[in-house]
Amino acid sequence: MKLIAYDEGKRLFVLDNGRFAYTIYVNDAGYLETVYFGASRAEYGDIDCVRGAWESASPHYDVARGVELGYADKFKSDAAPLEISPHGVWDKRGAPVILRGADGAFETDFRYESYRIYAGLPALEGLPHAHGEGVETLELTLRDRAHDALLRLNLSLFADKNVLVKNVEIENVGKEPLRVLRAMSLQLDLPSADYDLVHFCGRWGKERDWCENPVHDGVQEISSNFGRSSADENPFVFLKARGADEAQGEAIGFNLIYSGNFKFRAFVGMYRALHVTYGINDEDFEWLLASGERFTAPQAIIAYSDEGIDAMSAALHRFVHENLNTYQGLGEHRPVLFNSWEGCYFDFDTARILAYIDASHKIGTELFVLDDGWFGARSDDSRGLGDWWVNKEKVDLHKVMAHCKELGMKFGIWFEPEMVDFDSDLFRAHPEYTLGWKEGRTELTLARHQFHLDFACDAVVENIYAQMKAFLEEYHVDYIKWDYNRTVAEHFSNALPPERQGEVYHRLVLGYYRLIGRLTAEYPHIMFEGCASGGGRFDLGTMYYCPQIWCSDESDPAQRMDIQFNTSYGYPLSAIASHVNDSKVAPYRTKAALALFGTYGYEMNPELLTEEEIADLAETAELYKKYHHKVIAEGTLYRLRAPHKCNYMCMQSVSQDKTASLVLFMNKLKEGDRFRFVRLRGLDAEKRYRNDFDGQVHTGEYYMRVGLNFSREWLQEFDCRRVLLTEAK
Ligand code: DGJ
C-alpha cells in the first residue's frame, strides 16, 4: 500500500495508512499548510480548511520598488494551520525554529522548496530513532528567506499503526555561522481546541501522576529543564477530545525520542485553533552552526486514535516493540529478576549475597542483580561513584557469579556512569571532569552527595567507557542497571567555549547516548535496564537502548498501582520494571499480582520470607514464566477502571491470538457494599474461557457483556484479585 502521495496539480501531500490521515498543502506563498489531521478518508477532492488566511492578509512593502506587494505574498501566516510557522514576522503563535545570523536579526521564515518520498525512516546520527519495515517518509525541504539555511522536515508514517514520526534538521548552507535558538521537532496545528490535555507530573516516589486539564486560551506548557526527562513531568502527553474515554473517542498522543530537557507547548490564540510545538526545551539552548553543519532535532511521535485512549496506547506500545527498542532479546521471555537493593542496601559481603542468591532461587529467580555498593570505596552513598573497579575486600564477584551459574541463574550489576562523588579517585585525579567546574567558583550544588560528570566532554565519556569496558571484559554479566540519581544544576562545561555553553544540556544527552550506544552495540547480549532515582528518566530515548526501565522507588502497592497504571498510557507493560518488595501495606500475593503487570521481579530480604510467602511468590513466578510473554509482554492492554476515577483499578491484557487473558483487580479503600461487575474487553466472543477466579467457563461474549463479579466479598483495603482466563476446548 502506498502511504504517501503527492498531487502535483493540487500541490497536496496526502499521508494516509487507511485509518489515519494527514495532508499538507503547499500554498502560493510557499508555506506548508496542515489542512487535514484525523481519520482516513476516501477522497481528497478539495483543499480542506484553508480559512481566510488570504482575505485577512497583512500588507507587505517591497523595499526595492517602493510599492505594496500583490496578493501572492500577502499571506497572513498566523491565520492558517502550518507545518513550520515563521518567526519575527507576522505570525506570533510560536515558531518551531528560530535562527540568528551574523547581523543578529531573529527573523526566520522557511518556505517550501522541494520534496522526496522514500521507503523507511531517516537514521539520525548520535540520536536514538525509530526504525522498521512498512513505513514511508516524506522529506520536505524548505529554505529560509532570512538566512542561508535549509530546513528538512521529515514525516514518517507506518502502514500498520497510527503513528507518525516527525523531526527537523537545520543545515547552514551559507558562509557565516548561524545560531540556532530553537529547534522544535514538531509543530501541529489543529483547527479546534476542544480537547483536554493529559500529562503526567510527579516527583521521586510518585512518578507520573494523572493530570487532566481543559485546553484553554493562551499557553499551556509541559516541560523539563532538569537535564533529564525527569520525574517532575514525563515527555508523554496526550490530547483527549471532550467526551472521549478509554474505549471511544479521539485521542492524540505525543512523545519525544529523547532523554533531556523538553518542552510541549500548546497555544490557543485569537482564532481558537490549537498550535502545538514540541521538542528540545529552548530555555538556555543555543547551538552554534558553522558553515556546512547540520543540527538534527530528536524525533517526535504522534499517535492517533478515534477509537479511544486504549487504542492510542496500543499503537504506542507496538511502536516501542517493533520500531524503537533495539535489544536483541526483545522477543524472548524476560527472566524473573531479583535485585539486592532494598534487601540489604550497602550492607553486604560475599556470604550475604550468596545466601540471598540461594533464598531468591526458591521464589523462581532467574537473574540475580547486585545493585549499588560493589565498587570503589562505596560503603554508603557519599563516596565511590566514578571508580568502577570491584571492591574485592567487600565482595568476591567471581564467586558470586559462579554461584549463580551453578544454580542456572543469570547475573547482573548496577552502574551509575554519568556521576562522580567528590570522595573518589576519579574526582581527585580529574576535578575538571565535573559539570559546572570552573576557575573561581566557590560552591557547586551536590545532590545525594554527588556531582554530575561533564558528559558534554568526549574525554569524560571515554574515561567512563574505558572503565566499564575493563569491567565487562573481566566479568561477563548478562544485565546492567544504568542508574542516574540527580538532576543537572550548574549546566556549564569546562570543555566548551563561552559561545557554546547553550549546547551543554543537549550535549550531555548526546554523551549519554554515545556511551550507552557504544556499550549496547559491543555487548548486544547484555540487557540494559534504565533507572534514575526510580523513574526519573522514563522516556523513549532510554527505551531505544533499554527494553525496561525501573518505574519508581515506590513499591508500596497503594502508590505503585497508580504509577504503573498511568505509565502504561504511553509505554508498554513490558517496559515497566516492577518488583515485589517487603512493604507491609499488602500481602505478597497482592504485590506479586501487581508486579506481574510489569516486568516481575523481587527486592526484599529473601531470607525473611515464610514458607507460605515463598509458595505464593513461587506460584506467581510460574504463572509469569508460562503466560507473561504471550499475554502481557506481547498482548493488548485494556484499562477497565482507572484508579483516578473510582475506588478501584482494573486492567486486562489479552494475548494476540485471544486464547488467554490476565485481569488485575485492585481495591483502594475498604468498601464492601458496592457492585463491582467489570466487563472484560478484547476477547473472542465465540471462544469459551475458563477463569481461575470462580472456576467457571463462559464464552468471550459473556465476559464482555456480563463481566466478572468482584463484588461478592467484603473487599479490604488494597485487596487484589488476579484472574487468568484460558481457552477451554
Ligand atoms: C536509585 C534506584 O532507583 C534504586 O533502585 C537503587 O538502584 C539506588 N538508586 C541505588 O543507589
Side-chain angles (χ1 to χ4, degrees), residues 455-486:
F455 262 45
C457 169
D458 289 349
V460 178
V461 177
E462 277 306 310
N463 179 298
I464 300 299
Y465 166 76
Q467 291 197 57
M468 291 179 78
K469 176 98 185 155
F471 173 89
L472 293 174
E473 289 300 303
E474 183 171 352
Y475 299 94
H476 300 155
V477 301
D478 304 291
Y479 160 105
I480 287 176
K481 179 172 169 186
W482 186 299
D483 209 342
Y484 180 89
N485 284 304
R486 67 162 289 176

PDB file of all heavy atoms in Angstrom, residues 455-486:
ATOM      1  N   PHE A 455      29.417  15.154  30.697  1.00  0.00           N
ATOM      2  CA  PHE A 455      29.305  14.258  29.534  1.00  0.00           C
ATOM      3  C   PHE A 455      29.244  15.036  28.217  1.00  0.00           C
ATOM      4  O   PHE A 455      29.104  14.437  27.148  1.00  0.00           O
ATOM      5  CB  PHE A 455      28.100  13.320  29.690  1.00  0.00           C
ATOM      6  CG  PHE A 455      28.490  11.956  30.204  1.00  0.00           C
ATOM      7  CD1 PHE A 455      29.378  11.823  31.255  1.00  0.00           C
ATOM      8  CD2 PHE A 455      27.987  10.794  29.621  1.00  0.00           C
ATOM      9  CE1 PHE A 455      29.765  10.564  31.716  1.00  0.00           C
ATOM     10  CE2 PHE A 455      28.359   9.527  30.066  1.00  0.00           C
ATOM     11  CZ  PHE A 455      29.252   9.405  31.113  1.00  0.00           C
ATOM     12  N   ALA A 456      29.341  16.368  28.293  1.00  0.00           N
ATOM     13  CA  ALA A 456      29.477  17.145  27.059  1.00  0.00           C
ATOM     14  C   ALA A 456      30.915  17.060  26.553  1.00  0.00           C
ATOM     15  O   ALA A 456      31.225  17.507  25.454  1.00  0.00           O
ATOM     16  CB  ALA A 456      29.090  18.597  27.314  1.00  0.00           C
ATOM     17  N   CYS A 457      31.792  16.501  27.383  1.00  0.00           N
ATOM     18  CA  CYS A 457      33.224  16.438  27.064  1.00  0.00           C
ATOM     19  C   CYS A 457      33.588  14.996  26.674  1.00  0.00           C
ATOM     20  O   CYS A 457      33.367  14.055  27.452  1.00  0.00           O
ATOM     21  CB  CYS A 457      33.993  16.896  28.307  1.00  0.00           C
ATOM     22  SG  CYS A 457      35.751  16.598  28.206  1.00  0.00           S
ATOM     23  N   ASP A 458      34.160  14.830  25.507  1.00  0.00           N
ATOM     24  CA  ASP A 458      34.479  13.488  24.991  1.00  0.00           C
ATOM     25  C   ASP A 458      35.415  12.719  25.921  1.00  0.00           C
ATOM     26  O   ASP A 458      35.257  11.509  26.106  1.00  0.00           O
ATOM     27  CB  ASP A 458      35.154  13.588  23.616  1.00  0.00           C
ATOM     28  CG  ASP A 458      34.164  14.034  22.557  1.00  0.00           C
ATOM     29  OD1 ASP A 458      32.951  14.053  22.863  1.00  0.00           O
ATOM     30  OD2 ASP A 458      34.606  14.390  21.453  1.00  0.00           O
ATOM     31  N   ALA A 459      36.418  13.417  26.502  1.00  0.00           N
ATOM     32  CA  ALA A 459      37.405  12.729  27.346  1.00  0.00           C
ATOM     33  C   ALA A 459      36.733  12.089  28.559  1.00  0.00           C
ATOM     34  O   ALA A 459      37.141  11.015  29.025  1.00  0.00           O
ATOM     35  CB  ALA A 459      38.471  13.725  27.808  1.00  0.00           C
ATOM     36  N   VAL A 460      35.697  12.723  29.072  1.00  0.00           N
ATOM     37  CA  VAL A 460      34.999  12.187  30.246  1.00  0.00           C
ATOM     38  C   VAL A 460      34.243  10.911  29.852  1.00  0.00           C
ATOM     39  O   VAL A 460      34.331   9.881  30.529  1.00  0.00           O
ATOM     40  CB  VAL A 460      34.029  13.245  30.829  1.00  0.00           C
ATOM     41  CG1 VAL A 460      33.275  12.673  32.016  1.00  0.00           C
ATOM     42  CG2 VAL A 460      34.791  14.502  31.225  1.00  0.00           C
ATOM     43  N   VAL A 461      33.560  10.984  28.738  1.00  0.00           N
ATOM     44  CA  VAL A 461      32.807   9.809  28.270  1.00  0.00           C
ATOM     45  C   VAL A 461      33.791   8.666  28.006  1.00  0.00           C
ATOM     46  O   VAL A 461      33.530   7.506  28.368  1.00  0.00           O
ATOM     47  CB  VAL A 461      31.981  10.166  27.005  1.00  0.00           C
ATOM     48  CG1 VAL A 461      31.245   8.941  26.472  1.00  0.00           C
ATOM     49  CG2 VAL A 461      30.984  11.279  27.318  1.00  0.00           C
ATOM     50  N   GLU A 462      34.926   8.999  27.408  1.00  0.00           N
ATOM     51  CA  GLU A 462      35.944   7.973  27.115  1.00  0.00           C
ATOM     52  C   GLU A 462      36.458   7.321  28.391  1.00  0.00           C
ATOM     53  O   GLU A 462      36.678   6.115  28.449  1.00  0.00           O
ATOM     54  CB  GLU A 462      37.143   8.606  26.383  1.00  0.00           C
ATOM     55  CG  GLU A 462      36.949   8.752  24.902  1.00  0.00           C
ATOM     56  CD  GLU A 462      36.577   7.449  24.204  1.00  0.00           C
ATOM     57  OE1 GLU A 462      37.258   6.431  24.424  1.00  0.00           O
ATOM     58  OE2 GLU A 462      35.587   7.443  23.454  1.00  0.00           O
ATOM     59  N   ASN A 463      36.697   8.129  29.407  1.00  0.00           N
ATOM     60  CA  ASN A 463      37.202   7.598  30.675  1.00  0.00           C
ATOM     61  C   ASN A 463      36.228   6.565  31.254  1.00  0.00           C
ATOM     62  O   ASN A 463      36.619   5.470  31.653  1.00  0.00           O
ATOM     63  CB  ASN A 463      37.411   8.758  31.661  1.00  0.00           C
ATOM     64  CG  ASN A 463      37.920   8.273  33.011  1.00  0.00           C
ATOM     65  OD1 ASN A 463      37.242   7.512  33.704  1.00  0.00           O
ATOM     66  ND2 ASN A 463      39.127   8.696  33.383  1.00  0.00           N
ATOM     67  N   ILE A 464      34.950   6.918  31.276  1.00  0.00           N
ATOM     68  CA  ILE A 464      33.957   6.008  31.872  1.00  0.00           C
ATOM     69  C   ILE A 464      33.791   4.767  30.982  1.00  0.00           C
ATOM     70  O   ILE A 464      33.676   3.647  31.468  1.00  0.00           O
ATOM     71  CB  ILE A 464      32.600   6.740  32.084  1.00  0.00           C
ATOM     72  CG1 ILE A 464      32.798   7.944  33.025  1.00  0.00           C
ATOM     73  CG2 ILE A 464      31.546   5.789  32.639  1.00  0.00           C
ATOM     74  CD1 ILE A 464      33.292   7.610  34.420  1.00  0.00           C
ATOM     75  N   TYR A 465      33.845   5.010  29.679  1.00  0.00           N
ATOM     76  CA  TYR A 465      33.743   3.868  28.761  1.00  0.00           C
ATOM     77  C   TYR A 465      34.885   2.881  29.031  1.00  0.00           C
ATOM     78  O   TYR A 465      34.655   1.665  29.140  1.00  0.00           O
ATOM     79  CB  TYR A 465      33.800   4.355  27.306  1.00  0.00           C
ATOM     80  CG  TYR A 465      34.039   3.235  26.332  1.00  0.00           C
ATOM     81  CD1 TYR A 465      33.014   2.362  25.981  1.00  0.00           C
ATOM     82  CD2 TYR A 465      35.311   3.022  25.777  1.00  0.00           C
ATOM     83  CE1 TYR A 465      33.236   1.303  25.119  1.00  0.00           C
ATOM     84  CE2 TYR A 465      35.542   1.969  24.915  1.00  0.00           C
ATOM     85  CZ  TYR A 465      34.503   1.112  24.584  1.00  0.00           C
ATOM     86  OH  TYR A 465      34.734   0.055  23.736  1.00  0.00           O
ATOM     87  N   ALA A 466      36.108   3.394  29.153  1.00  0.00           N
ATOM     88  CA  ALA A 466      37.271   2.516  29.357  1.00  0.00           C
ATOM     89  C   ALA A 466      37.121   1.725  30.655  1.00  0.00           C
ATOM     90  O   ALA A 466      37.419   0.522  30.706  1.00  0.00           O
ATOM     91  CB  ALA A 466      38.550   3.350  29.374  1.00  0.00           C
ATOM     92  N   GLN A 467      36.621   2.387  31.700  1.00  0.00           N
ATOM     93  CA  GLN A 467      36.438   1.680  32.978  1.00  0.00           C
ATOM     94  C   GLN A 467      35.376   0.585  32.865  1.00  0.00           C
ATOM     95  O   GLN A 467      35.554  -0.530  33.352  1.00  0.00           O
ATOM     96  CB  GLN A 467      36.015   2.667  34.061  1.00  0.00           C
ATOM     97  CG  GLN A 467      37.093   3.653  34.481  1.00  0.00           C
ATOM     98  CD  GLN A 467      36.702   4.283  35.825  1.00  0.00           C
ATOM     99  OE1 GLN A 467      36.481   3.580  36.802  1.00  0.00           O
ATOM    100  NE2 GLN A 467      36.625   5.599  35.859  1.00  0.00           N
ATOM    101  N   MET A 468      34.274   0.924  32.226  1.00  0.00           N
ATOM    102  CA  MET A 468      33.185  -0.069  32.116  1.00  0.00           C
ATOM    103  C   MET A 468      33.610  -1.231  31.224  1.00  0.00           C
ATOM    104  O   MET A 468      33.311  -2.390  31.496  1.00  0.00           O
ATOM    105  CB  MET A 468      31.904   0.597  31.579  1.00  0.00           C
ATOM    106  CG  MET A 468      31.285   1.555  32.581  1.00  0.00           C
ATOM    107  SD  MET A 468      29.795   2.367  31.971  1.00  0.00           S
ATOM    108  CE  MET A 468      28.564   1.084  32.145  1.00  0.00           C
ATOM    109  N   LYS A 469      34.335  -0.881  30.176  1.00  0.00           N
ATOM    110  CA  LYS A 469      34.814  -1.915  29.239  1.00  0.00           C
ATOM    111  C   LYS A 469      35.737  -2.899  29.976  1.00  0.00           C
ATOM    112  O   LYS A 469      35.605  -4.120  29.816  1.00  0.00           O
ATOM    113  CB  LYS A 469      35.561  -1.215  28.106  1.00  0.00           C
ATOM    114  CG  LYS A 469      36.197  -2.119  27.100  1.00  0.00           C
ATOM    115  CD  LYS A 469      35.315  -2.250  25.894  1.00  0.00           C
ATOM    116  CE  LYS A 469      35.900  -3.264  24.922  1.00  0.00           C
ATOM    117  NZ  LYS A 469      34.893  -3.856  24.079  1.00  0.00           N
ATOM    118  N   ALA A 470      36.647  -2.359  30.775  1.00  0.00           N
ATOM    119  CA  ALA A 470      37.583  -3.223  31.512  1.00  0.00           C
ATOM    120  C   ALA A 470      36.794  -4.163  32.433  1.00  0.00           C
ATOM    121  O   ALA A 470      37.093  -5.354  32.529  1.00  0.00           O
ATOM    122  CB  ALA A 470      38.554  -2.369  32.317  1.00  0.00           C
ATOM    123  N   PHE A 471      35.778  -3.625  33.088  1.00  0.00           N
ATOM    124  CA  PHE A 471      34.945  -4.461  33.957  1.00  0.00           C
ATOM    125  C   PHE A 471      34.250  -5.556  33.137  1.00  0.00           C
ATOM    126  O   PHE A 471      34.269  -6.739  33.494  1.00  0.00           O
ATOM    127  CB  PHE A 471      33.905  -3.599  34.690  1.00  0.00           C
ATOM    128  CG  PHE A 471      32.917  -4.413  35.477  1.00  0.00           C
ATOM    129  CD1 PHE A 471      33.171  -4.758  36.802  1.00  0.00           C
ATOM    130  CD2 PHE A 471      31.742  -4.877  34.885  1.00  0.00           C
ATOM    131  CE1 PHE A 471      32.268  -5.545  37.519  1.00  0.00           C
ATOM    132  CE2 PHE A 471      30.837  -5.662  35.592  1.00  0.00           C
ATOM    133  CZ  PHE A 471      31.103  -5.997  36.913  1.00  0.00           C
ATOM    134  N   LEU A 472      33.637  -5.159  32.041  1.00  0.00           N
ATOM    135  CA  LEU A 472      32.829  -6.113  31.265  1.00  0.00           C
ATOM    136  C   LEU A 472      33.676  -7.193  30.593  1.00  0.00           C
ATOM    137  O   LEU A 472      33.196  -8.295  30.343  1.00  0.00           O
ATOM    138  CB  LEU A 472      32.005  -5.363  30.208  1.00  0.00           C
ATOM    139  CG  LEU A 472      30.917  -4.443  30.776  1.00  0.00           C
ATOM    140  CD1 LEU A 472      30.250  -3.631  29.673  1.00  0.00           C
ATOM    141  CD2 LEU A 472      29.865  -5.248  31.542  1.00  0.00           C
ATOM    142  N   GLU A 473      34.937  -6.859  30.329  1.00  0.00           N
ATOM    143  CA  GLU A 473      35.825  -7.876  29.752  1.00  0.00           C
ATOM    144  C   GLU A 473      36.187  -8.933  30.795  1.00  0.00           C
ATOM    145  O   GLU A 473      36.410 -10.089  30.470  1.00  0.00           O
ATOM    146  CB  GLU A 473      37.091  -7.220  29.196  1.00  0.00           C
ATOM    147  CG  GLU A 473      36.845  -6.409  27.932  1.00  0.00           C
ATOM    148  CD  GLU A 473      36.278  -7.242  26.790  1.00  0.00           C
ATOM    149  OE1 GLU A 473      36.903  -8.226  26.394  1.00  0.00           O
ATOM    150  OE2 GLU A 473      35.155  -6.912  26.315  1.00  0.00           O
ATOM    151  N   GLU A 474      36.243  -8.496  32.053  1.00  0.00           N
ATOM    152  CA  GLU A 474      36.586  -9.477  33.099  1.00  0.00           C
ATOM    153  C   GLU A 474      35.352 -10.215  33.638  1.00  0.00           C
ATOM    154  O   GLU A 474      35.413 -11.404  33.926  1.00  0.00           O
ATOM    155  CB  GLU A 474      37.313  -8.774  34.258  1.00  0.00           C
ATOM    156  CG  GLU A 474      37.755  -9.776  35.316  1.00  0.00           C
ATOM    157  CD  GLU A 474      38.655  -9.192  36.389  1.00  0.00           C
ATOM    158  OE1 GLU A 474      39.075  -8.016  36.256  1.00  0.00           O
ATOM    159  OE2 GLU A 474      38.925  -9.926  37.377  1.00  0.00           O
ATOM    160  N   TYR A 475      34.278  -9.484  33.781  1.00  0.00           N
ATOM    161  CA  TYR A 475      33.061 -10.078  34.365  1.00  0.00           C
ATOM    162  C   TYR A 475      31.987 -10.136  33.277  1.00  0.00           C
ATOM    163  O   TYR A 475      31.498  -9.089  32.838  1.00  0.00           O
ATOM    164  CB  TYR A 475      32.575  -9.236  35.553  1.00  0.00           C
ATOM    165  CG  TYR A 475      33.591  -9.150  36.656  1.00  0.00           C
ATOM    166  CD1 TYR A 475      34.488  -8.080  36.718  1.00  0.00           C
ATOM    167  CD2 TYR A 475      33.691 -10.149  37.631  1.00  0.00           C
ATOM    168  CE1 TYR A 475      35.452  -7.996  37.725  1.00  0.00           C
ATOM    169  CE2 TYR A 475      34.646 -10.077  38.630  1.00  0.00           C
ATOM    170  CZ  TYR A 475      35.525  -9.003  38.675  1.00  0.00           C
ATOM    171  OH  TYR A 475      36.473  -8.932  39.670  1.00  0.00           O
ATOM    172  N   HIS A 476      31.629 -11.330  32.886  1.00  0.00           N
ATOM    173  CA  HIS A 476      30.708 -11.470  31.754  1.00  0.00           C
ATOM    174  C   HIS A 476      29.261 -11.453  32.243  1.00  0.00           C
ATOM    175  O   HIS A 476      28.622 -12.493  32.368  1.00  0.00           O
ATOM    176  CB  HIS A 476      31.028 -12.740  30.980  1.00  0.00           C
ATOM    177  CG  HIS A 476      32.422 -12.725  30.438  1.00  0.00           C
ATOM    178  ND1 HIS A 476      33.137 -13.847  30.161  1.00  0.00           N
ATOM    179  CD2 HIS A 476      33.248 -11.683  30.145  1.00  0.00           C
ATOM    180  CE1 HIS A 476      34.344 -13.504  29.719  1.00  0.00           C
ATOM    181  NE2 HIS A 476      34.430 -12.192  29.707  1.00  0.00           N
ATOM    182  N   VAL A 477      28.795 -10.268  32.510  1.00  0.00           N
ATOM    183  CA  VAL A 477      27.450 -10.129  33.082  1.00  0.00           C
ATOM    184  C   VAL A 477      26.381 -10.217  31.989  1.00  0.00           C
ATOM    185  O   VAL A 477      26.666 -10.014  30.806  1.00  0.00           O
ATOM    186  CB  VAL A 477      27.291  -8.799  33.865  1.00  0.00           C
ATOM    187  CG1 VAL A 477      28.299  -8.709  34.986  1.00  0.00           C
ATOM    188  CG2 VAL A 477      27.418  -7.599  32.928  1.00  0.00           C
ATOM    189  N   ASP A 478      25.163 -10.489  32.408  1.00  0.00           N
ATOM    190  CA  ASP A 478      24.049 -10.629  31.461  1.00  0.00           C
ATOM    191  C   ASP A 478      23.152  -9.395  31.448  1.00  0.00           C
ATOM    192  O   ASP A 478      22.254  -9.289  30.597  1.00  0.00           O
ATOM    193  CB  ASP A 478      23.166 -11.828  31.869  1.00  0.00           C
ATOM    194  CG  ASP A 478      23.972 -13.101  31.968  1.00  0.00           C
ATOM    195  OD1 ASP A 478      24.414 -13.592  30.923  1.00  0.00           O
ATOM    196  OD2 ASP A 478      24.201 -13.584  33.109  1.00  0.00           O
ATOM    197  N   TYR A 479      23.386  -8.520  32.411  1.00  0.00           N
ATOM    198  CA  TYR A 479      22.420  -7.425  32.619  1.00  0.00           C
ATOM    199  C   TYR A 479      23.149  -6.249  33.271  1.00  0.00           C
ATOM    200  O   TYR A 479      24.041  -6.456  34.100  1.00  0.00           O
ATOM    201  CB  TYR A 479      21.310  -7.962  33.517  1.00  0.00           C
ATOM    202  CG  TYR A 479      20.456  -6.941  34.240  1.00  0.00           C
ATOM    203  CD1 TYR A 479      19.154  -6.674  33.814  1.00  0.00           C
ATOM    204  CD2 TYR A 479      20.926  -6.269  35.361  1.00  0.00           C
ATOM    205  CE1 TYR A 479      18.358  -5.757  34.494  1.00  0.00           C
ATOM    206  CE2 TYR A 479      20.134  -5.354  36.035  1.00  0.00           C
ATOM    207  CZ  TYR A 479      18.852  -5.097  35.600  1.00  0.00           C
ATOM    208  OH  TYR A 479      18.067  -4.193  36.272  1.00  0.00           O
ATOM    209  N   ILE A 480      22.754  -5.033  32.899  1.00  0.00           N
ATOM    210  CA  ILE A 480      23.277  -3.833  33.580  1.00  0.00           C
ATOM    211  C   ILE A 480      22.111  -2.927  33.942  1.00  0.00           C
ATOM    212  O   ILE A 480      21.266  -2.612  33.088  1.00  0.00           O
ATOM    213  CB  ILE A 480      24.271  -3.071  32.675  1.00  0.00           C
ATOM    214  CG1 ILE A 480      25.592  -3.842  32.576  1.00  0.00           C
ATOM    215  CG2 ILE A 480      24.518  -1.643  33.185  1.00  0.00           C
ATOM    216  CD1 ILE A 480      26.620  -3.243  31.650  1.00  0.00           C
ATOM    217  N   LYS A 481      22.073  -2.522  35.201  1.00  0.00           N
ATOM    218  CA  LYS A 481      21.097  -1.490  35.600  1.00  0.00           C
ATOM    219  C   LYS A 481      21.836  -0.156  35.544  1.00  0.00           C
ATOM    220  O   LYS A 481      22.829   0.037  36.243  1.00  0.00           O
ATOM    221  CB  LYS A 481      20.585  -1.760  37.012  1.00  0.00           C
ATOM    222  CG  LYS A 481      19.594  -0.716  37.515  1.00  0.00           C
ATOM    223  CD  LYS A 481      18.993  -1.167  38.830  1.00  0.00           C
ATOM    224  CE  LYS A 481      18.200  -0.074  39.523  1.00  0.00           C
ATOM    225  NZ  LYS A 481      17.751  -0.495  40.857  1.00  0.00           N
ATOM    226  N   TRP A 482      21.350   0.757  34.714  1.00  0.00           N
ATOM    227  CA  TRP A 482      22.026   2.028  34.462  1.00  0.00           C
ATOM    228  C   TRP A 482      21.273   3.115  35.229  1.00  0.00           C
ATOM    229  O   TRP A 482      20.220   3.562  34.796  1.00  0.00           O
ATOM    230  CB  TRP A 482      22.003   2.314  32.963  1.00  0.00           C
ATOM    231  CG  TRP A 482      22.769   3.512  32.492  1.00  0.00           C
ATOM    232  CD1 TRP A 482      22.575   4.815  32.832  1.00  0.00           C
ATOM    233  CD2 TRP A 482      23.842   3.500  31.543  1.00  0.00           C
ATOM    234  NE1 TRP A 482      23.455   5.619  32.164  1.00  0.00           N
ATOM    235  CE2 TRP A 482      24.243   4.840  31.362  1.00  0.00           C
ATOM    236  CE3 TRP A 482      24.493   2.499  30.826  1.00  0.00           C
ATOM    237  CZ2 TRP A 482      25.271   5.191  30.488  1.00  0.00           C
ATOM    238  CZ3 TRP A 482      25.512   2.854  29.959  1.00  0.00           C
ATOM    239  CH2 TRP A 482      25.895   4.190  29.801  1.00  0.00           C
ATOM    240  N   ASP A 483      21.830   3.530  36.331  1.00  0.00           N
ATOM    241  CA  ASP A 483      21.137   4.476  37.208  1.00  0.00           C
ATOM    242  C   ASP A 483      21.595   5.918  36.937  1.00  0.00           C
ATOM    243  O   ASP A 483      22.625   6.155  36.270  1.00  0.00           O
ATOM    244  CB  ASP A 483      21.438   4.084  38.668  1.00  0.00           C
ATOM    245  CG  ASP A 483      20.305   4.466  39.621  1.00  0.00           C
ATOM    246  OD1 ASP A 483      19.477   5.307  39.260  1.00  0.00           O
ATOM    247  OD2 ASP A 483      20.272   3.921  40.746  1.00  0.00           O
ATOM    248  N   TYR A 484      20.868   6.871  37.493  1.00  0.00           N
ATOM    249  CA  TYR A 484      21.155   8.301  37.250  1.00  0.00           C
ATOM    250  C   TYR A 484      20.435   9.076  38.355  1.00  0.00           C
ATOM    251  O   TYR A 484      19.255   9.386  38.236  1.00  0.00           O
ATOM    252  CB  TYR A 484      20.624   8.648  35.859  1.00  0.00           C
ATOM    253  CG  TYR A 484      20.812  10.067  35.404  1.00  0.00           C
ATOM    254  CD1 TYR A 484      21.968  10.455  34.732  1.00  0.00           C
ATOM    255  CD2 TYR A 484      19.816  11.027  35.598  1.00  0.00           C
ATOM    256  CE1 TYR A 484      22.125  11.760  34.272  1.00  0.00           C
ATOM    257  CE2 TYR A 484      19.968  12.330  35.149  1.00  0.00           C
ATOM    258  CZ  TYR A 484      21.120  12.691  34.480  1.00  0.00           C
ATOM    259  OH  TYR A 484      21.274  13.974  34.026  1.00  0.00           O
ATOM    260  N   ASN A 485      21.176   9.350  39.448  1.00  0.00           N
ATOM    261  CA  ASN A 485      20.494   9.776  40.673  1.00  0.00           C
ATOM    262  C   ASN A 485      20.538  11.259  41.015  1.00  0.00           C
ATOM    263  O   ASN A 485      20.481  11.611  42.187  1.00  0.00           O
ATOM    264  CB  ASN A 485      21.042   8.973  41.856  1.00  0.00           C
ATOM    265  CG  ASN A 485      20.478   7.572  41.865  1.00  0.00           C
ATOM    266  OD1 ASN A 485      19.273   7.389  41.867  1.00  0.00           O
ATOM    267  ND2 ASN A 485      21.338   6.580  41.826  1.00  0.00           N
ATOM    268  N   ARG A 486      20.664  12.101  40.042  1.00  0.00           N
ATOM    269  CA  ARG A 486      20.489  13.517  40.339  1.00  0.00           C
ATOM    270  C   ARG A 486      20.135  14.246  39.047  1.00  0.00           C
ATOM    271  O   ARG A 486      20.260  13.705  37.957  1.00  0.00           O
ATOM    272  CB  ARG A 486      21.733  14.143  40.984  1.00  0.00           C
ATOM    273  CG  ARG A 486      22.947  14.223  40.096  1.00  0.00           C
ATOM    274  CD  ARG A 486      23.964  15.241  40.648  1.00  0.00           C
ATOM    275  NE  ARG A 486      23.478  16.602  40.498  1.00  0.00           N
ATOM    276  CZ  ARG A 486      24.125  17.673  40.963  1.00  0.00           C
ATOM    277  NH1 ARG A 486      25.265  17.531  41.638  1.00  0.00           N
ATOM    278  NH2 ARG A 486      23.657  18.880  40.763  1.00  0.00           N
TER     279      ARG A 486
END
